[in-house]
Amino acid sequence: MTEADATLNAAIPEAGLGERQATEDMTALLDFSSPHSRFRSLTESGGYLVPMEGMAMQFDRESIEFVLHNPELFSSRIDLGLGNVRPLIPLNVDPPQHSNFRRLLDPLFSPKKMTAYEPDIARRANTLIDTFIDNGGCNFSDDFADVLPSTIFLDLTGLPEERLDEFLHLRDGILHPEKHDELAAFDPEVRTRVLFGTGEKIYALFTELINERRRQPGDDVISQFLAAEVDGARLTHDEILDILFLFLIAGLDTVSDTLTCMYAFLARNPDHRKQIVNDPDCLDNAVEEMLRWEAPVPFSSPRSATQDVTLPNGCPVTAGSMVLCAYGSANVDPTEYPDAHEVRFDRTRNRHITFGMGPHRCLGSHLARRELRVTLREWHRRIPEYWLTPGHEDLVYPPGLRHVKDLMLSW
Ligand code: HEM
């Protein structure tokens, strides 16, 4: 049984006739390889799916905007069960407390601050390319995508690159527990054991780091968290721990996954790749368009309804139910984009919601954008022509965040 099947079985214990349709829809939804036509049919056929009592998934733009913009109706204060023992900050905090955290964190991740990282990102991308360019090919997922964002994360937190494997191991313990123990793919007890065992190690490691930076501050984000102040208030030790725990989950995998989706797209669509090579000025638009199309984070973190409410698409939601929003589907909603199913690098109006929307909009989007733009610029300057390695054309998009496993490229 695959992890997708296990998720599905947990979600839909006994499928009756009506439920069977939902089961089929869910099975299709957990196949992340090319979700766009399913998004279209789900949006056209009502815009929502209720796979089980107490859970509603949203697919049309209007309802998704409604959920994400109304945190008083849809609370984010949910235990995500990711090995954490307290709510993750700021993801699992509701306004108004949430706004205090964002006022403190936003300036540390502002566009200006993140632009200063661009030369460093370029240097790191080139150093990685140096390691395999003469081989005429690479496992892009392992050799490049997995490594680059993580070394940047280490640098942000003031840690040496030698600790990369340790961090990737901790990240995997939360996001890919089956890599620690393959039984975790289908045995919830094993999964929980791996998650919480890893969680303990993450808390211990960050506690040590926070204490170290308290004694000897540097110019890393942990030192900045310790010094940051809003209205005279500072972050507590536990609050910094809860922010760092989220960073490890949100900052390491998302950019890696996005890179694999984008390079898979470009390797399969040489005309788009050539546009980037021939006109590097189109890069910013190209990145936004691929973010819209690939939408690596398939669903929002769950929201819990604080009262009975009917969504714009007619979906009835009872108090206490969970609501999930499909970002990728909102990104191809025809009410927002008349030509939503065309990938156009000359698109100028592009209000995609790949980084979410509303108060919980991604804190790291300015950093992520720079990582993606700089990487694509440097790569296409040095490796303008590449393709899927023969024999590896069937791409695997495992469950979790959308990503391509073992994306083999040749040039
Ligand atoms: C392409 C890469 C990325 C994508 C697609 C992405 C996507 C998202 C999305 C969709 C959300 C909203 C979740 C929700 O409302 O349920 C989010 C939140 C968040 N992201 Fe990102 N993210 C990326 C990179 C990053 C990076 C590099 C960092 C760290 C520096 C980061 C830190 C965060 C944080 C802290 C939040 C929570 C914000 C809040 O609750 O106020 N993300 N991200």
Short mmCIF file of all heavy atoms in Angstrom, two decimals, residues 263-298:
data_model
loop_
_atom_site.label_atom_id
_atom_site.label_comp_id
_atom_site.label_asym_id
_atom_site.label_seq_id
_atom_site.Cartn_x
_atom_site.Cartn_y
_atom_site.Cartn_z
N TYR A 263 11.86 22.54 -13.17
CA TYR A 263 12.81 21.95 -14.13
C TYR A 263 12.16 20.80 -14.89
O TYR A 263 12.49 20.57 -16.06
CB TYR A 263 14.11 21.53 -13.42
CG TYR A 263 15.06 22.70 -13.33
CD1 TYR A 263 14.86 23.69 -12.37
CD2 TYR A 263 16.10 22.87 -14.22
CE1 TYR A 263 15.69 24.80 -12.30
CE2 TYR A 263 16.95 23.97 -14.16
CZ TYR A 263 16.74 24.93 -13.19
OH TYR A 263 17.56 26.03 -13.14
N ALA A 264 11.25 20.09 -14.27
CA ALA A 264 10.53 19.04 -15.00
C ALA A 264 9.69 19.69 -16.10
O ALA A 264 9.65 19.22 -17.25
CB ALA A 264 9.64 18.25 -14.05
N PHE A 265 9.04 20.80 -15.76
CA PHE A 265 8.24 21.51 -16.76
C PHE A 265 9.12 21.97 -17.93
O PHE A 265 8.81 21.74 -19.10
CB PHE A 265 7.52 22.72 -16.13
CG PHE A 265 6.80 23.55 -17.15
CD1 PHE A 265 5.51 23.22 -17.55
CD2 PHE A 265 7.43 24.64 -17.74
CE1 PHE A 265 4.87 23.97 -18.54
CE2 PHE A 265 6.79 25.39 -18.73
CZ PHE A 265 5.50 25.06 -19.12
N LEU A 266 10.26 22.59 -17.60
CA LEU A 266 11.12 23.16 -18.66
C LEU A 266 11.76 22.06 -19.51
O LEU A 266 11.92 22.22 -20.71
CB LEU A 266 12.20 24.05 -18.03
CG LEU A 266 11.65 25.36 -17.43
CD1 LEU A 266 12.70 26.04 -16.56
CD2 LEU A 266 11.16 26.31 -18.53
N ALA A 267 12.10 20.95 -18.86
CA ALA A 267 12.72 19.85 -19.63
C ALA A 267 11.70 19.24 -20.60
O ALA A 267 12.07 18.75 -21.67
CB ALA A 267 13.25 18.78 -18.67
N ARG A 268 10.42 19.30 -20.21
CA ARG A 268 9.40 18.71 -21.08
C ARG A 268 8.82 19.71 -22.09
O ARG A 268 8.05 19.34 -22.97
CB ARG A 268 8.26 18.14 -20.23
CG ARG A 268 8.70 16.92 -19.45
CD ARG A 268 7.56 16.01 -19.13
NE ARG A 268 6.86 16.42 -17.94
CZ ARG A 268 6.13 15.59 -17.21
NH1 ARG A 268 6.02 14.33 -17.55
NH2 ARG A 268 5.52 16.02 -16.14
N ASN A 269 9.14 21.00 -21.88
CA ASN A 269 8.59 22.04 -22.76
C ASN A 269 9.73 22.91 -23.30
O ASN A 269 9.95 24.04 -22.84
CB ASN A 269 7.58 22.91 -21.98
CG ASN A 269 6.34 22.12 -21.59
OD1 ASN A 269 5.42 21.98 -22.38
ND2 ASN A 269 6.36 21.57 -20.39
N PRO A 270 10.45 22.38 -24.32
CA PRO A 270 11.64 23.08 -24.81
C PRO A 270 11.35 24.49 -25.32
O PRO A 270 12.21 25.36 -25.23
CB PRO A 270 12.17 22.18 -25.92
CG PRO A 270 11.16 21.12 -26.12
CD PRO A 270 10.24 21.08 -24.97
N ASP A 271 10.15 24.74 -25.83
CA ASP A 271 9.86 26.11 -26.31
C ASP A 271 9.88 27.10 -25.15
O ASP A 271 10.36 28.23 -25.30
CB ASP A 271 8.50 26.17 -27.00
CG ASP A 271 8.55 25.46 -28.35
OD1 ASP A 271 9.69 25.18 -28.80
OD2 ASP A 271 7.48 25.16 -28.91
N HIS A 272 9.38 26.69 -24.02
CA HIS A 272 9.41 27.58 -22.85
C HIS A 272 10.85 27.75 -22.37
O HIS A 272 11.27 28.84 -22.00
CB HIS A 272 8.54 27.03 -21.72
CG HIS A 272 7.06 27.20 -21.98
ND1 HIS A 272 6.36 26.35 -22.77
CD2 HIS A 272 6.19 28.15 -21.57
CE1 HIS A 272 5.10 26.75 -22.84
NE2 HIS A 272 4.97 27.85 -22.12
N ARG A 273 11.59 26.64 -22.36
CA ARG A 273 13.00 26.72 -21.93
C ARG A 273 13.75 27.70 -22.82
O ARG A 273 14.50 28.55 -22.33
CB ARG A 273 13.63 25.33 -21.99
CG ARG A 273 15.12 25.32 -21.66
CD ARG A 273 15.73 23.93 -21.75
NE ARG A 273 15.52 23.25 -23.02
CZ ARG A 273 16.14 23.55 -24.16
NH1 ARG A 273 17.02 24.52 -24.20
NH2 ARG A 273 15.87 22.88 -25.27
N LYS A 274 13.52 27.61 -24.14
CA LYS A 274 14.23 28.49 -25.08
C LYS A 274 13.88 29.95 -24.84
O LYS A 274 14.71 30.84 -25.03
CB LYS A 274 13.91 28.10 -26.53
CG LYS A 274 14.69 26.87 -26.97
CD LYS A 274 14.34 26.51 -28.41
CE LYS A 274 14.71 25.06 -28.68
NZ LYS A 274 13.89 24.43 -29.69
N GLN A 275 12.65 30.22 -24.43
CA GLN A 275 12.27 31.62 -24.16
C GLN A 275 13.17 32.20 -23.06
O GLN A 275 13.60 33.34 -23.14
CB GLN A 275 10.82 31.70 -23.70
CG GLN A 275 9.80 31.57 -24.82
CD GLN A 275 8.37 31.66 -24.26
OE1 GLN A 275 8.04 32.59 -23.55
NE2 GLN A 275 7.55 30.67 -24.59
N ILE A 276 13.43 31.39 -22.03
CA ILE A 276 14.29 31.87 -20.94
C ILE A 276 15.72 32.08 -21.44
O ILE A 276 16.37 33.07 -21.11
CB ILE A 276 14.28 30.86 -19.77
CG1 ILE A 276 12.88 30.82 -19.15
CG2 ILE A 276 15.32 31.24 -18.70
CD1 ILE A 276 12.73 29.86 -17.98
N VAL A 277 16.19 31.14 -22.28
CA VAL A 277 17.57 31.24 -22.78
C VAL A 277 17.71 32.47 -23.70
O VAL A 277 18.65 33.25 -23.57
CB VAL A 277 17.95 29.95 -23.55
CG1 VAL A 277 19.32 30.07 -24.19
CG2 VAL A 277 17.90 28.75 -22.60
N ASN A 278 16.74 32.66 -24.59
CA ASN A 278 16.86 33.73 -25.58
C ASN A 278 16.52 35.10 -25.01
O ASN A 278 16.97 36.11 -25.54
CB ASN A 278 15.94 33.45 -26.79
CG ASN A 278 16.37 32.18 -27.51
OD1 ASN A 278 17.55 31.80 -27.42
ND2 ASN A 278 15.46 31.52 -28.18
N ASP A 279 15.71 35.12 -23.98
CA ASP A 279 15.30 36.42 -23.43
C ASP A 279 15.30 36.33 -21.89
O ASP A 279 14.24 36.23 -21.26
CB ASP A 279 13.89 36.77 -23.95
CG ASP A 279 13.36 38.04 -23.33
OD1 ASP A 279 14.18 38.83 -22.80
OD2 ASP A 279 12.13 38.26 -23.38
N PRO A 280 16.51 36.41 -21.29
CA PRO A 280 16.57 36.27 -19.82
C PRO A 280 15.72 37.32 -19.09
O PRO A 280 15.36 37.12 -17.94
CB PRO A 280 18.06 36.47 -19.51
CG PRO A 280 18.78 36.19 -20.79
CD PRO A 280 17.84 36.58 -21.89
N ASP A 281 15.35 38.41 -19.79
CA ASP A 281 14.49 39.42 -19.14
C ASP A 281 13.10 38.86 -18.81
O ASP A 281 12.37 39.46 -18.03
CB ASP A 281 14.33 40.65 -20.04
CG ASP A 281 15.61 41.47 -20.07
OD1 ASP A 281 16.50 41.20 -19.24
OD2 ASP A 281 15.72 42.35 -20.95
N CYS A 282 12.73 37.76 -19.45
CA CYS A 282 11.39 37.21 -19.17
C CYS A 282 11.40 36.35 -17.90
O CYS A 282 10.36 35.82 -17.50
CB CYS A 282 10.86 36.40 -20.35
SG CYS A 282 11.49 34.71 -20.42
N LEU A 283 12.58 36.26 -17.25
CA LEU A 283 12.71 35.32 -16.13
C LEU A 283 11.73 35.57 -14.97
O LEU A 283 11.13 34.64 -14.44
CB LEU A 283 14.14 35.38 -15.60
CG LEU A 283 14.86 34.05 -15.62
CD1 LEU A 283 16.31 34.22 -15.31
CD2 LEU A 283 14.21 33.06 -14.68
N ASP A 284 11.58 36.84 -14.60
CA ASP A 284 10.70 37.11 -13.46
C ASP A 284 9.28 36.65 -13.76
O ASP A 284 8.63 36.01 -12.93
CB ASP A 284 10.69 38.62 -13.12
CG ASP A 284 12.02 39.06 -12.51
OD1 ASP A 284 12.94 38.22 -12.46
OD2 ASP A 284 12.11 40.23 -12.10
N ASN A 285 8.81 36.97 -14.97
CA ASN A 285 7.46 36.53 -15.36
C ASN A 285 7.39 35.01 -15.45
O ASN A 285 6.39 34.40 -15.07
CB ASN A 285 7.09 37.08 -16.75
CG ASN A 285 6.53 38.48 -16.65
OD1 ASN A 285 6.37 39.02 -15.55
ND2 ASN A 285 6.26 39.08 -17.80
N ALA A 286 8.47 34.42 -15.97
CA ALA A 286 8.48 32.96 -16.13
C ALA A 286 8.37 32.27 -14.77
O ALA A 286 7.62 31.30 -14.60
CB ALA A 286 9.75 32.52 -16.85
N VAL A 287 9.10 32.80 -13.79
CA VAL A 287 9.06 32.20 -12.45
C VAL A 287 7.64 32.33 -11.88
O VAL A 287 7.08 31.36 -11.34
CB VAL A 287 10.10 32.87 -11.52
CG1 VAL A 287 9.83 32.52 -10.06
CG2 VAL A 287 11.51 32.42 -11.91
N GLU A 288 7.03 33.49 -12.03
CA GLU A 288 5.67 33.68 -11.50
C GLU A 288 4.69 32.73 -12.19
O GLU A 288 3.81 32.16 -11.55
CB GLU A 288 5.20 35.13 -11.67
CG GLU A 288 5.97 36.13 -10.85
CD GLU A 288 6.10 35.73 -9.38
OE1 GLU A 288 5.08 35.44 -8.73
OE2 GLU A 288 7.25 35.68 -8.87
N GLU A 289 4.86 32.59 -13.51
CA GLU A 289 3.93 31.75 -14.26
C GLU A 289 4.10 30.27 -13.88
O GLU A 289 3.13 29.54 -13.73
CB GLU A 289 4.14 31.97 -15.77
CG GLU A 289 3.22 31.16 -16.67
CD GLU A 289 1.74 31.54 -16.59
OE1 GLU A 289 1.33 32.20 -15.61
OE2 GLU A 289 0.99 31.14 -17.49
N MET A 290 5.35 29.85 -13.67
CA MET A 290 5.55 28.45 -13.27
C MET A 290 5.11 28.24 -11.81
O MET A 290 4.63 27.17 -11.47
CB MET A 290 7.00 28.03 -13.49
CG MET A 290 7.31 27.83 -14.97
SD MET A 290 8.92 27.06 -15.25
CE MET A 290 10.02 28.41 -14.96
N LEU A 291 5.26 29.27 -10.99
CA LEU A 291 4.72 29.15 -9.62
C LEU A 291 3.20 28.95 -9.69
O LEU A 291 2.62 28.12 -8.98
CB LEU A 291 5.02 30.42 -8.81
CG LEU A 291 6.42 30.52 -8.19
CD1 LEU A 291 6.69 31.93 -7.69
CD2 LEU A 291 6.58 29.53 -7.03
N ARG A 292 2.55 29.73 -10.56
CA ARG A 292 1.09 29.60 -10.70
C ARG A 292 0.74 28.20 -11.18
O ARG A 292 -0.11 27.54 -10.59
CB ARG A 292 0.59 30.63 -11.74
CG ARG A 292 -0.89 30.52 -12.03
CD ARG A 292 -1.34 31.48 -13.12
NE ARG A 292 -1.04 31.01 -14.47
CZ ARG A 292 -1.81 30.21 -15.21
NH1 ARG A 292 -2.97 29.78 -14.72
NH2 ARG A 292 -1.46 29.83 -16.42
N TRP A 293 1.41 27.74 -12.20
CA TRP A 293 1.04 26.49 -12.86
C TRP A 293 1.40 25.27 -12.00
O TRP A 293 0.64 24.33 -11.87
CB TRP A 293 1.73 26.42 -14.21
CG TRP A 293 1.36 25.25 -15.06
CD1 TRP A 293 2.17 24.21 -15.40
CD2 TRP A 293 0.09 25.01 -15.67
NE1 TRP A 293 1.48 23.32 -16.19
CE2 TRP A 293 0.21 23.78 -16.37
CE3 TRP A 293 -1.13 25.68 -15.69
CZ2 TRP A 293 -0.85 23.23 -17.09
CZ3 TRP A 293 -2.19 25.12 -16.41
CH2 TRP A 293 -2.04 23.92 -17.08
N GLU A 294 2.57 25.30 -11.40
CA GLU A 294 3.05 24.11 -10.68
C GLU A 294 2.54 24.05 -9.23
O GLU A 294 2.39 22.98 -8.67
CB GLU A 294 4.58 24.06 -10.69
CG GLU A 294 5.18 23.86 -12.08
CD GLU A 294 4.77 22.52 -12.70
OE1 GLU A 294 4.50 21.58 -11.94
OE2 GLU A 294 4.72 22.43 -13.94
N ALA A 295 2.28 25.20 -8.60
CA ALA A 295 1.72 25.27 -7.25
C ALA A 295 2.15 24.09 -6.36
O ALA A 295 1.36 23.19 -6.08
CB ALA A 295 0.20 25.34 -7.30
N PRO A 296 3.42 24.09 -5.91
CA PRO A 296 3.94 22.92 -5.20
C PRO A 296 3.25 22.61 -3.87
O PRO A 296 3.26 21.46 -3.45
CB PRO A 296 5.41 23.29 -4.96
CG PRO A 296 5.47 24.76 -5.08
CD PRO A 296 4.42 25.16 -6.05
N VAL A 297 2.68 23.62 -3.21
CA VAL A 297 1.94 23.32 -1.98
C VAL A 297 0.49 23.06 -2.41
O VAL A 297 -0.20 23.99 -2.81
CB VAL A 297 1.99 24.50 -0.98
CG1 VAL A 297 1.21 24.18 0.29
CG2 VAL A 297 3.45 24.84 -0.63
N PRO A 298 0.07 21.80 -2.40
CA PRO A 298 -1.24 21.52 -3.00
C PRO A 298 -2.41 22.12 -2.21
O PRO A 298 -3.35 22.63 -2.80
CB PRO A 298 -1.32 19.99 -3.02
CG PRO A 298 -0.15 19.48 -2.28
CD PRO A 298 0.75 20.60 -1.91
#
